[in-house]
């Protein structure tokens, strides 16, 4: 079963900003959402992630309406990630602590992910003081560390250098393959969407243009 | 001018020679204000954070009422508590009027809206983003409130200091419910008012200096913590 959206309407100050009759996002695939600024891409992601619940319509995953259990298995990386005022290591550790993973196991998982994303040298630095590229990598690490089945990414490589972009892209691809995760990624970069996405959806003026 | 200078010298003497009466007043003040601040903060901070991030009907009206309560005159709070605790009042049987406990109750109620209002405003402006991150990482409501408190720790400490400053510097409520009884309910502010009316400037100045010193110390601690952060 996929992520299904039907008859989705979202209003803001009486203005319809999202109007999606039907949208099917395939499970275990990477779906790219592209479109100009302010067309409703982030709003759609906020609705799927459960951050925005003031909408009309139905959003379901695996045939079930989104509920707490699904949300627990889903995460969203924001365009401007907010890292906590604690070390990079502790930032990544946070979702594992919430899930009561024991300390030894936590350390093992975090060390692996830190190594893969090449952030070992900054693991003791304070999260909120990192540069844009470093923040994006740490935010991605924090998001995938607990292995969510649904990974939502809002422009995860905006304003970062090519090297970091490549690293993040390869990690997204690796994660999807290894965990059989469903990934939805918002991007402005059409080439990036073509590089890593299995499907591409274009949103224009709040409507899906396939 | 001479009497002011003399007052200062005598005040310093009282402090250096550890004058029993003066120090008793200082410790009671610190005790009552600290306990009221702790009680008010423990309840109002989590509640303020929760209400700040929560969307609910009539939130703007709630904000206005809360901000109004933040500046409630202390004599009004003192009067209400005194009526409630007076012998004929509904809680008269507790026999708390003119005790340090009554003073703690009055000060807690006085500073509660202040601490809650400051926290609520902070959480409303800066807590939502943290709440969203917590939510997307799978945190439940309690975990998210704790996360926001931890992330806004420094600002909340400043709120607590502001609350403490209001508590230790207020005179109306503690005067009404405490009665300014020597060796029992006499605190710095009520003493200053009394010594001033008696013309005993050296004690009034000594206690005034202590009040300033407490304020300076507390704010210095917060400032150095702020620099470290």
């Amino acid at each position: 079963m996929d992520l299904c959206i039907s008859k989705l309407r979202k209003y803001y100050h009486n203005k319809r900003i999202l109007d999606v009759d039907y949208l099917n996002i395939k499970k275990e695939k990477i779906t790219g959402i592209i479109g100009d600024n302010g067309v409703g891409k982030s709003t759609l992601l906020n609705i799927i992630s459960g951050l925005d619940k003031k909408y009309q319509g139905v959003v379901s995953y695996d045939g079930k309406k989104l509920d707490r259990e699904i949300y627990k298995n889903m995460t969203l990386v924001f365009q401007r990630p907010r890292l906590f005022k604690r070390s990079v290591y502790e930032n990544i550790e946070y979702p594992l602590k919430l899930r009561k993973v024991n300390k030894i196991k936590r350390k093992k998982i975090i060390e692996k992910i830190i190594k893969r994303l090449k952030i070992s040298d900054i693991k003791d630095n304070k999260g909120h003081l990192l540069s844009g590229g470093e923040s994006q990598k740490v935010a991605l690490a924090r998001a995938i560390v607990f292995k969510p089945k649904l990974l939502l990414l809002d422009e995860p490589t905006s304003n970062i250098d090519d090297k970091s972009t490549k690293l993040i892209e390869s990690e997204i691809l690796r994660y999807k393959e290894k965990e059989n995760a469903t990934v939805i990624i918002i991007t402005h970069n059409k080439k990036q969407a073509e590089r890593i996405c299995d499907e591409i959806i274009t949103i224009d003026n709040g409507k899906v243009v396939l | 001018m001479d009497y002011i200078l003399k007052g200062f010298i005598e005040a310093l003497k009282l402090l250096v020679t550890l004058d029993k009466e003066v120090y008793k007043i200082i410790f009671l003040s610190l005790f009552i204000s600290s306990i009221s601040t702790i009680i008010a903060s423990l309840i109002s901070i989590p509640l303020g954070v929760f209400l700040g991030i929560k969307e609910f009907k009539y939130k703007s009206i709630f904000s206005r009422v809360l901000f109004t309560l933040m500046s409630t005159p202390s004599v009004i709070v003192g009067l209400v508590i005194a009526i409630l605790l007076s012998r004929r009042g509904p809680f008269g049987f507790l026999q708390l009027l003119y005790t340090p406990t009554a003073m703690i109750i009055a000060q807690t109620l006085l500073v509660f809206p202040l601490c809650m209002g400051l926290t609520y405003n902070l959480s409303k402006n800066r807590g939502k983003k943290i709440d969203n991150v917590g939510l997307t990482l799978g945190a439940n409501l309690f975990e998210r409130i704790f996360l926001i408190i931890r992330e806004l720790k420094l600002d909340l400490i400043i709120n607590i200091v502001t609350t403490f400053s209001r508590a230790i510097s207020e005179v109306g409520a503690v005067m009404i419910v405490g009665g300014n009884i020597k060796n029992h309910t006499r605190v710095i502010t009520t003493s200053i008012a009394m010594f001033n009316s008696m013309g005993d400037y050296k004690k009034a100045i000594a206690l005034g200096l202590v009040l300033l010193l407490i304020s300076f110390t507390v704010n210095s601690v917060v400032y150095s913590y702020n620099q470290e952060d």
Side-chain angles (χ1 to χ4, degrees):
Chain A
M1 297 290 269
D2 306 325
L3 180 84
C4 281
I5 295 166
S6 61
K7 290 177 183 156
L8 178 69
R9 312 269 184 274
K10 167 76 189 172
Y11 294 87
Y12 188 70
H13 291 308
N14 291 328
K15 192 185 165 204
R16 191 184 286 185
I17 55 165
L18 209 53
D19 183 0
V20 180
D21 276 332
Y22 183 76
L23 179 63
N24 190 59
I25 292 172
K26 290 212 173 91
K27 207 177 168 183
E28 297 170 13
K29 300 269 181 211
I30 299 180
T31 302
I33 300 176
I34 57 172
D36 294 336
N37 282 332
V39 292
K41 305 186 300 287
S42 295
T43 307
L44 180 63
L45 228 51
N46 284 343
I47 288 172
I48 297 171
S49 68
L51 291 181
D52 188 344
K53 288 182 175 164
K54 288 179 187 166
Y55 63 89
Q56 295 169 10
V58 180
V59 184
S60 62
Y61 184 66
D62 260 353
K64 278 196 293 181
K65 260 185 99 174
L66 297 181
D67 60 11
R68 184 150 170 77
E69 275 314 299
I70 298 171
Y71 290 136
K72 269 185 117 175
N73 241 317
M74 174 197 300
T75 195
L76 166 65
V77 177
F78 296 93
Q79 189 179 353
R80 282 186 194 154
R82 196 197 190 283
L83 298 178
F84 305 138
K85 287 181 181 175
R86 47 184 105 171
S87 73
V88 164
Y89 184 93
E90 288 169 312
N91 262 280
I92 303 170
E93 190 182 33
Y94 181 74
L96 296 177
K97 270 188 169 176
L98 290 177
R99 286 159 182 82
K100 314 255 184 298
V101 177
N102 73 58
K103 204 176 172 182
I104 302 163
K105 209 172 168 190
R106 281 202 311 256
K107 197 174 175 210
K108 221 171 138 186
I109 300 169
I110 297 167
E111 292 294 347
K112 266 190 196 170
I113 210 163
I114 276 179
K115 211 172 161 189
R116 271 207 316 273
L117 281 162
K118 296 184 178 139
I119 45 176
S120 312
D121 52 330
I122 55 160
K123 72 171 183 179
D124 297 320
N125 293 12
K126 292 270 182 195
H128 65 294
L129 300 176
L130 299 180
S131 69
E134 289 168 340
S135 300
Q136 294 278 19
K137 283 190 255 181
V138 177
L140 181 66
R142 186 175 65 180
I144 60 178
V145 74
F146 66 97
K147 297 176 180 164
K149 281 285 165 206
L150 194 50
L151 177 64
L152 313 173
L153 305 161
D154 193 350
E155 301 201 36
T157 59
S158 58
N159 304 318
I160 62 170
D161 60 73
D162 291 347
K163 209 173 151 193
S164 299
T165 301
K166 270 186 188 164
L167 188 71
I168 288 178
E169 284 180 4
S170 70
E171 185 56 31
I172 294 168
L173 288 166
R174 192 207 66 85
Y175 182 74
K176 176 227 140 186
E177 285 301 322
K178 191 161 182 280
E179 304 299 333
N180 291 325
T182 307
V183 181
I184 303 173
I185 175 168
I186 287 182
T187 177
H188 265 110
N189 190 336
K190 216 170 177 180
K191 280 184 183 164
Q192 181 181 55
E194 283 163 3
R195 265 199 312 271
I196 64 169
C197 298
D198 302 301
E199 303 229 337
I200 298 172
I201 293 165
T202 306
I203 294 192
D204 188 27
N205 225 356
K207 295 191 175 198
V208 174
V209 188
L210 288 171
Chain B
M1 281 303 284
D2 194 37
Y3 79 97
I4 298 174
L5 191 68
K6 264 188 189 169
F8 264 105
I9 294 164
E10 288 298 316
L12 289 173
K13 264 187 200 166
L14 283 173
L15 293 173
V16 173
T17 56
L18 305 177
D19 182 83
K20 216 176 160 187
E21 190 191 354
V22 170
Y23 277 90
K24 218 167 188 177
I25 292 168
I26 294 168
F27 286 126
L28 185 67
S29 270
L30 285 173
F31 174 74
I32 288 173
S33 302
S34 304
I35 298 292
S36 325
T37 305
I38 291 168
I39 297 170
S41 304
L42 282 175
I43 305 167
S44 67
I45 288 179
L47 192 61
V49 167
F50 170 71
L51 293 169
I53 57 170
K54 184 92 184 151
E55 291 303 324
F56 56 92
K57 225 177 170 185
Y58 308 119
K59 192 169 178 172
S60 60
I61 294 173
F62 172 79
S63 304
R64 272 173 241 180
V65 172
L66 184 61
F67 295 147
T68 307
L69 288 173
M70 279 169 78
S71 52
T72 312
S74 58
V75 281
I76 302 287
V77 175
L79 183 67
V80 171
I81 300 299
I83 291 167
L84 292 173
L85 295 179
S86 68
R87 229 188 309 161
R88 283 181 297 167
F91 299 104
F93 66 96
L94 295 170
Q95 296 187 324
L96 288 175
L97 198 59
Y98 306 127
T99 65
T101 309
M103 295 161 82
I104 291 173
I105 294 170
Q107 273 198 356
T108 304
L109 288 173
L110 179 73
V111 298
F112 181 86
L114 177 70
C115 191
M116 176 136 149
L118 293 172
T119 307
Y120 168 80
N121 207 32
L122 179 70
S123 170
K124 200 158 76 101
N125 294 331
R126 288 173 49 202
K128 195 68 197 159
K129 276 187 183 169
I130 305 166
D131 183 52
N132 283 347
V133 177
L135 197 66
T136 58
L137 294 173
N140 63 32
L141 181 64
F142 289 105
E143 288 162 340
R144 278 170 7 237
I145 289 174
F146 185 70
L147 177 69
I148 295 168
I149 291 173
R150 202 179 147 169
E151 284 298 298
L152 300 176
K153 188 171 55 181
L154 184 69
D155 303 82
L156 290 171
I157 288 171
I158 293 169
N159 290 357
I160 294 170
V161 169
T162 310
T163 305
F164 176 79
S165 302
R166 163 96 154 132
I168 203 157
S169 62
E170 79 83 23
V171 57
V174 283
M175 181 74 100
I176 294 174
V177 300
N180 195 29
I181 302 165
K182 193 178 179 183
N183 292 330
H184 186 51
T185 59
R186 188 165 291 173
V187 289
I188 297 178
T189 48
T190 57
S191 305
I192 292 175
M194 186 195 70
F195 289 134
N196 177 56
S197 60
M198 286 164 63
D200 189 351
Y201 293 117
K202 58 186 180 191
K203 278 190 179 161
I205 293 172
L207 290 169
L209 285 175
V210 170
L211 205 54
L212 279 174
L213 195 69
I214 291 168
S215 183
F216 179 76
T217 311
V218 169
N219 284 295
S220 297
V221 171
V222 174
Y223 181 77
S224 41
Y225 188 73
N226 193 0
Q227 292 295 102
E228 271 175 39
D229 196 69

